[in-house]
Structures are given as structure tokens and as C-alpha cells.
Amino acid sequence: MPARTLYEKIWDAHVVREEPGKPSLIYIDRHLVHEGTSPQAFSGLKSAGRKVRRPELTFAVMDHSVSTKNRALPLLDPDAVAQFDALARNCQECGINLFDMQSRNQGIVHVIGPELGITLPGTTIVCGDSHTSTHGALGALAFGIGTSEVEHVLATQCLTQFKSKTMQIDVQGRRPAGVTAKDIILAIIGKIGIGGGNGHVAEYTGEAVRSLSMEGRMTMCNMSIEGGARAGMVAPDETTFAYVEGKPFAPRGKEFQQAVEYWRSLATDSGAKYDTVVTLRAADLAPMVTWGTNPGMVTQVTSRVPDPSSFSDPVDRKAAESALVYMGLQPGTPIENISVDRVFIGSCTNSRLEDLRTAARVVSGKHVAKSLKQALVVPGSRVVKAAAEQEGLDKVFRDAGFEWRDAGCSMCIAMNDDVLPSGERSASTSNRNFEGRQGKGGRTHLVSPAMAAAAAIEGHFVDIRKWRGAEGVE
Amino acid sequence: MQPFTKHTGLVAPIDRVNVDTDQMVPKQFLKFLTREGYGRVLFYDWRYLPGEKPNPEFVLNFPRYKGASILLARANFGCGSSREHAPWAILDYGIRAILAPSYADIFYNNCFKNGILPVTLSSEQIDELFDRTQKNEGYRLTVCLEHQKVTDDKGLKYSFTIDPFRRDCLLKGLDDIGLTLVHESDIAAFEKKNLHVPAMNSPLDVKYHQS
Ligand code: SF4
């Protein structure tokens, strides 16, 4: 057999049927569902008189519109209530596992999948959500789909797919202190552009990636889609196996050992060819801050807001001009001089225990700046929340002037009542700084948890590598 | 699904790169339970001023583009969120075809599921079409999927390529799920074969969460 990449091995293992000139039919091992993109799929299924083929492989959760304040209070938004009710009803009728608002395992779909062992190496995973790419951190093939495809998976447990091109993103050498997984992925997107990965599945390789924890790898894979790649992957290794072992839905005992043996065989063969190769040197990387209205409009914290006239392509120049108008920024402004109104630590990019630990270390014994209107910590899941409370992180955050919330998507997408008001500026650990993403007219700067935490204390961006509170930030 | 064969219509330009699906349908409209009625909210934050008054500066509100059914766009159109609400809104607004130099993968795919034809042309061709649209009020194009051609009545004729399978499904308005279910026996055989592969397609401890 010719040398194959990780992607190709998982693909080959899931082909149900192929015919030359047509997309392949591939089998889906895990289907994740949330309230936002599923109601039309269930109603389509029903009106066609079709059934869910493998309900036990489908897992549903309420995350996008849930309140992060108090689960006991009645929901005020009737549209959100209708959507939650629809999900509960659909899951009940079809026999699908549902983690509802009250479940102790509730959380953001991309946080709970890995955490519960639903996400496993070598599996195919889809969800009606573009950040499904997150799960690739475990060495799974995971990607976002539209609602019509959600319906297709419900009905057939398969998808018709064209094979993607492969892209290796090799981050060479050791990661400098203060440069996190978030900074690496932002630097990658800055380099390849937000459409740079279109048509590709990305595999992250290199020492700087290998040395990341599972949480860090998830942060990187999460934002693959922001570089245009539908999926991002990291080959499973000892770090992966140690993470998976003992997770509630993961195989146990002898089964686990057999699984590990299989998972080991998935790593890209030496000599396998990628369609595109991108390399970065970790030593060149620095903490990153976005200045514009997409994740590719990003620069190092020590740098300045760029001048649109420096862009050679007229289309890019125009985009930069309108981004600066929206963001209310002047060209040439040092990034460290940008002050923020609100800080949001959360989202499927950066809301896991490691992220919260890092942020807590930064803010411990300090207090958020007087000028700050709000500082929010929203754990990615209730499991994360409980673990953080066990360590006393909630107290650290509260003492520093942060609000400590319940799990959900929250201000990443502002479908609940956590909204960035128009004209205000946030430092956010989420993944999208699109216009209006956190609230109409809101201005989002994407950063790592350490950088967001430090910005909360100072009221403006600081270089975490030199900052007084940065001890212990890796 | 509504088939797409050939369509002639007024062209409206969205002269902006990387238009993301958050702009097409902002999050406050993701809470509905149906696929219909999203046309009103297409490009909501750009299109309306407070009180849902049309913003006279937004291109789709220009009287000359009223009734447009072909959208002319820039690179990486439809990036970001996988929300299929975006193509639902485009279709409900009355758009049947999009012309752009490139698209984001999920959006591109979603268009085909909804009877919208996303045509890929070169940047130079797209530049030329922007130019013609700007210069000629009431500029119309014909997009023919059968012959894979984009034409106007002034002699412009561009060919485009498209995957033959996608083309066929769109021409006939085929139901994807129905096509897959024809292969039921292959799916069942695959499941049987892989039942014992550890952690692949194996039933899980489904009682865990019930507490
Ligand atoms: S946290 Fe944000 S990006 Fe992640 S699933 Fe929720 S809304 Fe989407």
C-alpha cells in the first residue's frame, strides 16, 4: 500500500461505497447535534417519513442560546424556548441522547465531545457547526456540515463527500514562553489567509504542536475553519491516549488497549505526500491580537494597526479600510494602546480547564481595571466548571472582579443575553471577530486566555511575555 | 429540491471579499424552526437601519438592483459559520445563482442542497462583470448550467467548470437522501464489517448521561 496521510487512512477506513467520478459515501461514527441547526433537519426527516438510522451514535446538547446566569430561571426568549423544546421533543421521539440544560454534562458541543469520550481517534465526526474541526485534535476526521447534511446523517448515518486535498502545517521548533496554541493558530491564519485552507483538510505537525496538551491542540484544530480548512487534525500519540483513557464513553480495559494499537497505526506514513505544505518557525511567533473583522486580520502584540494603503491588492485594501472604520481604529496605533471595555474568556476555542487555569494565574491577586465594564469567565462545560471550582479558580476570578458563569456559548455568538454592546470593544478568547458577531456594532479582538486576562487587569492589551503578572504562563 | 437548468436575471454586485455567513443571516435569526422566510433578514445588519428602515447606502437597496436574482461576489464568499440559513435566505430573497472567484467549502456545498448555482469564474472575469454591472443599469446575465455558460446580450460569453455529479443533481433537482438510501445494503454491510473495530461504530454505554 502506498504511503498515506492520517486523513487518507481515516477516509479509507470509512468508505462505504465509491464510484469513479462521483463523491464517495462515507460512514459517520459520531453525530453531534445542537439546538441551532437541527430543527429543520428533524422536521425534514419527519415529513419524508424517515427514521434516525443509528440514534445511539447521535448526541445532542443545548449550548448556543442557554443562559449562563441561572439555569433555574425561566427563559425569557420565546424563540430560544421553542428551539429547546423542539430539540428535547425530537431527541425523545428518535431515542437520541440529549444533554439538556440541567444535565451535569451539559456544555459547548465541541467541549463535551472530547471530554466525555464521545470523540475518539480514528472516528468520523460531524455536526451542524463549523467548529466541529475541534475534534480533529484527537486524530479524528471531524468537520462541520449544513442542516441538509444533518438530515442526511440522521437518515443514513452516511454522507456523500468529495475527498479533500491535504495540507500539512508544520510548526517547527520549540514554542517560546508566553506563546500559546491560540497565538500559533492565529499566526497560521494570518499567514495563509482566511480562505487559504479552502478545499483542504489540515494536519498540524512539528515539535511545537506535538508538545501541546490536548487542550492546546483542540484550540488549534478549532480554528482550522477560520483558515478555510473544513477539518484540522493532529495524529494521535501518547498525549492523546492518556487523555482518552477513562473518559466516560471511551472503550475500557482490553478494548481500550486494542483501540490504542489501532490508533497508533493512523499516523501519517513517512514519505506520504500532502497537496500543500506550510511551515512556520515557532521561534518567530509572538502573542497575537486581531485588529480587523476576520481572524486573518491579525498581528503581533508588539506591532501596530496596519495602514490599508500598505496592501497591494485593491480588494484587500478596501477590506482593510472598511474593517478599520468598523473597528474604530486609526492606522499606526500601537496594539498595546488599544483599550477594551469588556473581556470574554470562554467559547469552544478557549474554555477548557487549562485555559481557565492560565487565565486564573494571570489575574490571581489582582483586580480588573476600573475602566472595564465587564469581565466574564464562561466555562466550556459544566464538567469544566465543577473541576475549576474544585481547584478554587472561581474564587480567584471572582476576587479579581470577574463574573463566574455557567456553561454555554455565551458572548462568542451572543444568542443568549451576553451581548457586546454597539461601539464597545472586547478582548475575547473566541474564534470569530466578524462584524456583529458578539453583538451588533460590537468590536472584537481575538486573543489567547492569558492575553485576555492581562487586558482585563490593565484595561488595554499588553505583551504577556513582558508583563508583571506573567509568571507561570507557558 | 428545485432544479436549476438555465436562469436569466438582473445582477446585483456585493463588492467585498470574505463575506461571511454571519453577515448573511445574523445570529438573532437562527432561532426559527423552519427553512422559509429568511429572505427578509438577508444581510440584515447591512441592509437595515434601526427600526428596519432600509439603509439607502447598502447596494441591494439601490432601486436599480431591485428584483435582482443573480449575485456577483468576491473571493471566499460564504466563509465562517456552517449555517444553512445563509443559502435559505439567499434563495428566499430571490437569488438563483451566484458568481464569484471562490467560495468557502461548507457554504458552497449548502448552495447545491438548495437549488442555488454557485458559479466559479476567474478574478479577471469577475472584475469584468463588476465593471459591466456598474456601467449598465439593468445589467442582466444568463446562466446556463446545461452548457456551463454565462452570457449577456452584448456578446459576453464565459464558460465555467463544475463537478459533473453536482451538476447532474442540480439539473434534476435530485433528493440526496433518496440517492443514498438506494445503497442501503452497502451501508448495512459496512456496519456489520466494522461492528468489532474498537471504538468505531460500536454501541456505547448510552445510559451514562442519565443522572
Ligand atoms: S462557542 Fe462560539 S464558535 Fe463555539 S460552538 Fe458556540 S457559538 Fe460556535
Side-chain angles (χ1 to χ4, degrees):
Chain A
M1 189 164 281
R4 293 179 299 164
T5 63
L6 168 63
Y7 167 69
E8 287 159 342
K9 289 181 187 183
I10 300 180
W11 174 275
D12 290 348
H14 288 83
V15 172
V16 172
R17 195 189 150 81
E18 53 189 347
E19 253 178 86
K22 285 193 180 172
S24 302
L25 193 62
I26 66 161
Y27 201 80
I28 302 302
D29 297 320
R30 303 287 184 272
H31 185 196
L32 308 173
V33 168
H34 68 68
E35 78 273 17
T37 51
S38 64
Q40 296 86 354
F42 281 106
S43 51
L45 199 69
K46 209 185 275 181
S47 68
R50 290 172 177 143
K51 281 207 171 60
V52 178
R53 183 181 178 87
R54 298 289 304 273
E56 75 279 19
L57 299 182
T58 305
F59 295 83
V61 65
M62 299 175 175
D63 57 2
H64 277 63
S65 305
V66 297
S67 166
T68 59
K69 286 185 187 135
N70 187 343
R71 292 287 148 87
L73 294 175
L75 282 160
L76 295 175
D77 178 349
D79 292 334
V81 171
Q83 226 172 38
F84 292 137
D85 289 350
L87 183 64
R89 204 177 336 109
N90 289 327
C91 289
Q92 165 119 60
E93 282 173 12
C94 302
I96 290 170
N97 296 277
L98 168 67
F99 304 105
D100 69 10
M101 243 175 292
Q102 310 300 341
S103 164
R104 67 184 162 92
N105 292 317
Q106 181 269 346
I108 304 168
V109 60
H110 311 308
V111 175
I112 69 166
E115 173 176 275
L116 296 177
I118 295 168
T119 304
L120 295 171
T123 54
T124 47
I125 303 172
V126 297
C127 173
D129 194 286
S130 60
H131 291 102
T132 308
S133 60
T134 313
H135 307 259
L138 282 92
L141 172 58
F143 52 89
I145 55 178
T147 297
S148 295
E149 287 174 314
V150 170
E151 186 179 333
H152 193 283
V153 177
L154 288 172
T156 69
Q157 203 58 36
C158 292
L159 270 180
T160 37
Q161 287 289 301
F162 290 95
K163 206 163 173 181
S164 299
K165 285 190 275 188
T166 54
M167 175 184 260
Q168 180 188 24
I169 302 181
D170 195 37
V171 191
Q172 299 169 345
R174 282 178 57 171
R175 186 166 48 93
V179 175
T180 66
K182 181 67 162 283
D183 303 302
I184 301 177
I185 189 65
L186 282 171
I188 289 169
I189 299 163
K191 183 178 166 116
I192 67 173
I194 66 169
N198 282 359
H200 289 82
V201 164
E203 182 182 344
Y204 302 100
T205 60
E207 188 186 348
V209 175
R210 283 271 145 250
S211 65
L212 287 173
S213 65
M214 284 317 296
E215 282 91 336
R217 296 177 187 184
M218 286 186 229
T219 300
M220 284 191 68
C221 289
N222 174 272
M223 291 192 73
S224 304
I225 184 70
E226 309 312 332
R230 246 178 122 174
M233 314 174 86
V234 177
D237 59 11
E238 298 309 319
T239 307
T240 321
F241 309 142
Y243 176 90
V244 171
E245 186 162 22
K247 293 279 187 281
F249 285 95
R252 290 178 201 135
K254 207 170 130 240
E255 265 213 6
F256 180 76
Q257 292 315 323
Q258 284 170 351
V260 167
E261 220 168 286
Y262 171 58
W263 295 339
R264 270 188 222 287
S265 73
L266 295 174
T268 296
D269 297 327
S270 66
K273 291 260 179 307
Y274 298 90
D275 295 299
T276 308
V277 177
V278 176
T279 49
L280 285 85
R281 283 182 1 147
D284 298 339
L285 302 178
M288 303 295 279
V289 181
T290 62
W291 52 266
T293 50
N294 71 51
M297 294 174 161
V298 66
T299 190
Q300 301 195 340
V301 62
T302 47
S303 181
R304 290 164 186 271
V305 175
D307 189 336
S309 65
S310 67
F311 291 85
S312 52
D313 183 333
V315 176
D316 288 342
R317 194 179 314 138
K318 210 172 141 201
E321 275 165 10
S322 69
L324 291 191
V325 170
Y326 180 86
M327 292 298 288
L329 289 172
Q330 292 302 318
T333 308
I335 296 292
E336 291 192 75
N337 287 6
I338 300 173
S339 54
V340 298
D341 303 297
R342 290 175 202 249
V343 170
F344 170 64
I345 297 176
S347 89
C348 56
T349 316
N350 283 125
S351 63
R352 298 174 187 85
L353 190 57
E354 179 183 276
D355 302 315
L356 303 190
R357 280 181 184 152
T358 305
R361 229 173 277 141
V362 171
V363 305
S364 173
K366 305 183 189 69
H367 202 275
V368 300
K370 280 210 182 64
S371 56
L372 219 67
K373 298 198 173 92
Q374 187 178 37
L376 268 183
V377 184
V378 184
S381 71
R382 294 183 126 188
V383 169
V384 168
K385 181 170 187 259
E389 287 174 355
Q390 192 86 43
E391 295 179 14
L393 302 186
D394 56 326
K395 187 162 184 317
V396 173
F397 283 117
R398 282 207 177 99
D399 289 349
F402 282 81
E403 295 172 43
W404 177 253
R405 294 290 189 81
D406 210 337
C409 294
S410 180
M411 205 188 272
C412 170
I413 190 165
M415 283 178 73
N416 67 355
D417 51 355
D418 302 325
V419 179
L420 178 65
S422 187
E424 288 193 14
R425 197 179 289 291
S426 76
S428 175
T429 66
S430 54
N431 45 47
R432 285 192 176 135
N433 50 342
F434 296 152
E435 287 185 16
R437 172 76 179 185
Q438 294 192 284
K440 186 175 177 180
R443 295 161 171 169
T444 303
H445 295 273
L446 303 176
V447 286
S448 74
M451 287 285 289
I457 302 300
E458 296 294 345
H460 58 86
F461 292 111
V462 292
D463 184 348
I464 192 72
R465 294 169 303 181
K466 298 195 210 114
W467 187 62
R468 63 190 165 99
E471 302 82 29
V473 176
E474 284 180 4
Chain B
M1 187 186 70
Q2 188 183 2
F4 186 106
T5 47
K6 184 176 177 178
H7 176 80
T8 302
L10 185 68
V11 184
I14 302 274
D15 191 6
R16 212 176 148 127
V17 272
N18 300 320
V19 173
D20 60 80
T21 53
D22 274 63
Q23 306 315 317
M24 296 182 195
V25 179
K27 75 250 241 105
Q28 64 269 33
F29 306 111
L30 303 181
K31 291 177 189 160
F32 306 140
L33 302 175
T34 60
R35 291 174 189 251
E36 292 82 35
Y38 290 91
R40 180 181 69 82
V41 305
L42 178 68
F43 293 120
Y44 192 87
D45 289 352
W46 291 348
R47 196 163 136 206
Y48 298 111
L49 297 169
E52 239 172 78
K53 282 220 303 280
N55 176 0
E57 283 171 24
F58 180 58
V59 63
L60 290 186
N61 291 333
F62 297 180
R64 61 181 286 191
Y65 298 124
K66 199 170 172 325
S69 59
I70 296 174
L71 208 57
L72 185 59
R74 295 289 186 189
N76 200 29
F77 192 70
C79 61
S81 162
S82 61
R83 57 188 72 165
E84 201 166 311
H85 308 69
W88 295 338
I90 286 174
L91 187 67
D92 193 49
Y93 183 86
I95 304 288
R96 291 302 320 276
I98 309 172
L99 312 171
S102 61
Y103 301 85
D105 293 350
I106 304 178
F107 177 80
Y108 185 73
N109 211 22
N110 283 340
C111 284
F112 286 96
K113 312 278 179 201
N114 291 283
I116 302 167
L117 173 62
V119 175
T120 311
L121 294 170
S122 73
S123 299
E124 292 72 34
Q125 291 171 327
I126 292 292
D127 283 345
E128 174 65 29
L129 291 177
F130 266 98
D131 199 50
R132 290 189 180 214
T133 305
Q134 238 117 49
K135 286 188 180 137
N136 307 293
E137 190 161 341
Y139 186 67
R140 293 162 75 81
L141 283 169
T142 296
V143 181
C144 176
L145 179 56
E146 180 126 44
H147 299 105
Q148 298 175 218
K149 295 264 186 290
V150 176
T151 49
D152 71 6
D153 56 13
K154 295 180 184 66
L156 175 137
K157 192 173 196 176
Y158 292 152
S159 301
F160 61 90
T161 53
I162 189 163
D163 172 77
F165 178 79
R166 290 194 197 271
R167 174 175 170 272
D168 200 41
C169 290
L170 204 50
L171 280 173
K172 298 183 188 139
L174 293 178
D175 162 28
D176 269 20
I177 299 179
L179 284 182
T180 297
L181 287 174
V182 170
H183 305 301
E184 159 63 34
S185 59
D186 290 330
I187 302 173
F190 180 93
E191 285 172 334
K192 209 166 153 212
K193 186 180 90 196
N194 287 290
L195 202 59
H196 303 294
V197 175
M200 210 177 100
N201 180 31
S202 60
L204 294 152
D205 175 10
V206 292
K207 275 175 242 88
Y208 173 76
H209 76 287
Q210 291 163 350
S211 53

